[in-house]
């Protein structure tokens, strides 16, 4: 497909990288020539210097002939205006970033009345993800598939758990509807086979039916029936959206925000929340909050470095769960060695949903990639495909197919039935399948499985 990306910041760059490596023809518009030069040094894409709200610039980028137009600048007004222009020029589908809290209640109206195909709100997506995590306090990462029927979750077996010392064949006998799809052992990630034996401190990624995962949940370290004391450092958009979802629940929530005006606004809107005006990165302030009594801390300031240090300090004080927001994905390889529990990258989460929409519009291939998730702090890829047409992979037992090294089939969804495959299972036309792999270079199904 021909795709035009307007805005080459963090979110735009995520789209550029994904779309280019999936084989689409990509054109990028940005006002800063140096930014476009840097992108061209990394990806073979076309670039146009100028404003995405300029009709002349959009025409130069051939928006009128595009399948997808993405407006991903930092300005909601610019994005919405550009998307409207692109639609009028002839773009088949338009996507726009809209993150302002004032507009969040009217996204359906904006989308339907202005003809925008898909609206993106990275901060809202993060807040929704964090609220889900609060339901599973022993889980370090969580993703849902097939309308929530299948869940992937990451956790560490508790001390004394019967999982420790168990090989994965025995695990499947104990939990027939669950499969361990990845293991992080001392910062080395494995896609394990049946002879793999679990050890203490392994961080395991388990895939299975959502209701059955609850049977395993009690085997994780830091297992609690529910959390009580929640600390949020930073009162930006993510914190606002998160409070909107949890402020009337049973949690005892404390929020620290250095900007007095912002803190007062949050205190007025969420009177159930204890709001403190102060510097959440000041260790004196943190010590006064008695971190050792917390159940979970969210580091959501606007500075990656501050969030990392906050998370490490909270971990040193014995806080059972910490969540660290990081905007720069190039920091992730370094951060994975620091032992941070959970890292959230807003633009990556937003791109997942938007890319799912884009892929669903591309039906030219026999295998349509419907979703691409990155788990275990971006070191494991989960790729979901729909098998649209006949191919030489269909009807052959999985054990007779060749899989890319450290790749496995997590599940097959066929006509309403979920299958956690064994070697004798086969693929059928119309199946939806998920692969788990360490490969970062391959997203085409036929590069990961072949005859």
């Amino acid at each position: 497909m021909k795709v035009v990306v307007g805005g080459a910041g963090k979110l735009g760059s995520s789209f550029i990288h994904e779309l280019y490596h999936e084989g689409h023809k990509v054109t990028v518009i940005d006002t800063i020539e140096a930014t476009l030069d840097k992108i061209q040094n990394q990806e073979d894409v076309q670039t146009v210097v100028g404003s995405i709200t300029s009709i002349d610039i959009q025409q130069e980028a051939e928006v009128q002939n595009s399948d997808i137009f993405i407006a991903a600048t930092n300005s909601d007004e610019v994005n919405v205006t550009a998307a409207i222009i692109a639609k009028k020029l002839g773009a088949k589908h338009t996507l726009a970033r809209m993150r302002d809290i004032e507009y969040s209640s009217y996204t359906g109206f904006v989308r339907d009345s202005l003809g925008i195909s898909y609206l993106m709100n990275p901060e809202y997506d993060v807040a929704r993800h964090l609220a889900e995590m609060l339901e599973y306090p022993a889980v370090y990462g969580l993703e849902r598939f097939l309308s929530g029927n299948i869940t992937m979750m990451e956790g560490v077996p508790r001390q004394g758990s019967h999982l420790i010392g168990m090989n994965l064949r025995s695990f499947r006998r104990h939990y027939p509807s669950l499969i361990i799809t990845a293991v992080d052992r001392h910062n080395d990630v494995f896609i394990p086979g049946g002879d793999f034996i679990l050890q203490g401190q392994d961080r395991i990624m388990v895939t299975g039916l959502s209701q059955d995962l609850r049977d395993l949940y009690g085997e994780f370290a830091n297992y609690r029936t529910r959390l009580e004391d929640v600390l949020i450092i930073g009162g930006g958009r993510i914190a606002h959206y998160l409070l909107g979802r949890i402020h009337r629940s049973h949690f005892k929530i404390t929020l620290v925000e250095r900007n007095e005006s912002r803190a007062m606004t949050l205190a007025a809107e969420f009177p159930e929340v204890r709001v403190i005006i102060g510097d959440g990165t000041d260790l004196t302030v943190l010590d006064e909050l008695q971190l050792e009594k917390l159940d979970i801390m969210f580091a959501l300031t606007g500075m990656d470095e501050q969030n990392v240090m906050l998370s490490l300090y909270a971990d040193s004080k014995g806080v059972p769960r910490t969540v660290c927001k990081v905007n720069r994905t190039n920091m992730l390889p370094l951060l994975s060695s620091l032992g941070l529990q959970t890292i959230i990258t807003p633009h990556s989460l937003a791109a997942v949903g938007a890319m799912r929409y884009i892929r669903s519009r591309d039906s030219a291939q026999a295998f349509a990639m419907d979703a691409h998730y990155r788990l275990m702090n971006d070191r494991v890829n989960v790729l979901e495909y729909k098998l649209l047409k006949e191919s030489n992979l269909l009807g052959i037992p999985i054990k007779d197919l060749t899989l890319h090294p450290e790749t496995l089939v997590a599940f097959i969804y066929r006509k309403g039935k979920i299958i956690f495959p064994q070697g004798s299972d086969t693929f059928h036309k119309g199946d939806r399948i998920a692969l788990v792999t360490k490969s970062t270079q391959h997203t085409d199904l036929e590069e990961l499985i072949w005859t």
Side-chain angles (χ1 to χ4, degrees), residues 5-69:
V5 179
K10 295 183 180 70
L11 180 59
S13 295
S14 294
F15 286 118
I16 294 163
H17 179 79
E18 295 275 358
L19 292 163
Y20 170 72
H21 286 279
E22 289 181 21
H24 300 290
K25 182 180 179 182
V26 180
T27 301
V28 185
I29 304 172
D30 197 272
T31 57
I32 303 175
E33 188 171 4
T35 299
L36 295 175
D37 289 341
K38 182 178 179 181
I39 288 172
Q40 280 194 311
N41 288 334
Q42 299 169 341
E43 322 284 8
D44 184 15
V45 299
Q46 300 296 313
T47 61
V48 176
V49 181
S51 169
I52 65 172
T53 58
S54 166
I55 295 175
D56 291 339
I57 291 296
Q58 287 205 19
Q59 289 177 327
E60 184 180 345
E62 298 185 357
V63 169
Q64 63 273 18
N65 301 320
S66 68
D67 297 290
I68 303 286
F69 175 82

Side-chain angles (χ1 to χ4, degrees), residues 39 189 275 333 376 410:
I39 288 172
V189 174
V275 178
M376 287 195 161

Side-chain angles (χ1 to χ4, degrees), residues 57-357:
I57 291 296
Q58 287 205 19
Q59 289 177 327
E60 184 180 345
E62 298 185 357
V63 169
Q64 63 273 18
N65 301 320
S66 68
D67 297 290
I68 303 286
F69 175 82
I70 303 172
T73 76
N74 288 325
S75 169
D76 290 353
E77 291 79 7
V78 167
N79 293 334
V80 170
T81 301
I84 293 171
I85 293 171
K87 188 69 174 179
K88 293 293 185 182
L89 287 176
K92 293 184 178 67
H93 303 279
T94 56
L95 292 79
R97 178 185 197 172
M98 193 172 75
R99 57 206 288 251
D100 196 298
I101 292 167
E102 293 182 6
Y103 298 150
S104 62
S105 301
Y106 308 104
T107 54
F109 171 80
V110 172
R111 183 182 61 245
D112 297 338
S113 62
L114 300 180
I116 299 173
S117 308
Y118 188 95
L119 290 171
M120 302 170 285
N121 188 333
E123 289 79 10
Y124 179 83
D125 290 341
V126 170
R128 182 178 57 192
H129 193 75
L130 298 181
E132 281 191 337
M133 288 178 58
L134 287 171
E135 298 177 26
Y136 298 92
V139 170
Y140 294 103
L142 183 146
E143 289 291 350
R144 298 188 189 277
F145 302 81
L146 302 178
S147 301
N149 290 310
I150 292 181
T151 298
M152 285 188 180
M153 61 170 57
E154 301 172 32
V156 176
R158 61 176 172 80
Q159 187 174 3
S161 169
H162 73 275
L163 298 179
I164 298 173
M166 180 184 291
N167 68 34
L168 298 200
R169 287 192 176 87
S170 297
F171 179 89
R172 287 298 300 273
R173 287 193 293 269
H174 278 81
Y175 303 97
S177 64
L178 306 180
I179 180 172
I180 293 178
T181 44
V183 177
D184 179 348
R185 176 174 293 167
H186 307 305
N187 290 319
D188 287 331
V189 174
F190 302 89
I191 307 298
D195 295 327
F196 191 93
I197 297 174
L198 298 176
Q199 297 181 3
Q201 301 304 311
D202 280 352
R203 179 165 166 169
I204 63 175
M205 185 168 78
V206 188
T207 304
L209 299 177
S210 299
Q211 66 269 25
D212 294 346
L213 277 166
R214 295 183 182 276
D215 297 334
L216 180 71
Y217 186 59
E219 296 300 322
F220 287 160
N222 297 324
Y223 167 72
R224 304 172 184 209
T225 55
R226 68 179 192 175
L227 300 174
E228 292 285 347
D229 292 297
V230 178
L231 174 62
I232 302 171
I233 307 293
R237 289 189 180 94
I238 295 175
H240 185 280
Y241 287 128
L242 179 59
L243 291 178
R245 299 181 74 94
I246 68 173
H247 72 106
R248 286 196 174 94
S249 61
H250 66 275
F251 300 114
K252 299 175 184 176
I253 306 169
T254 300
L255 181 141
V256 181
E257 166 58 39
R258 69 171 65 189
N259 182 284
E260 182 176 355
S261 175
R262 181 68 184 148
M264 296 297 288
T265 298
L266 289 169
E269 186 168 353
F270 305 108
E272 305 92 342
V273 177
R274 178 192 179 199
V275 178
I276 297 173
I277 303 171
D279 184 356
T281 64
D282 187 329
L283 299 187
T284 302
V285 173
L286 292 176
D287 290 340
E288 289 176 354
L289 292 172
Q290 297 180 297
L291 297 185
E292 64 275 5
K293 295 183 179 181
L294 291 177
D295 292 316
I296 188 168
M297 186 198 76
F298 297 103
L300 304 177
T301 77
M303 298 290 293
D304 291 350
E305 294 82 357
Q306 290 181 355
N307 293 333
V308 170
M309 295 307 298
L310 283 167
S311 299
L312 292 173
Y313 185 70
D315 188 60
S316 74
K317 289 292 185 178
V319 178
R321 289 301 321 278
T322 59
V323 179
C324 176
K325 177 178 75 74
V326 174
N327 287 314
R328 287 173 289 172
T329 54
N330 60 355
M331 293 180 64
L332 294 177
L334 171 64
L335 297 180
S336 64
S337 65
L338 296 180
L340 295 174
Q341 294 183 17
T342 301
I343 301 172
I344 296 291
T345 53
H347 60 276
S348 294
L349 274 177
V352 166
M355 286 299 301
R356 186 184 301 120
Y357 175 87

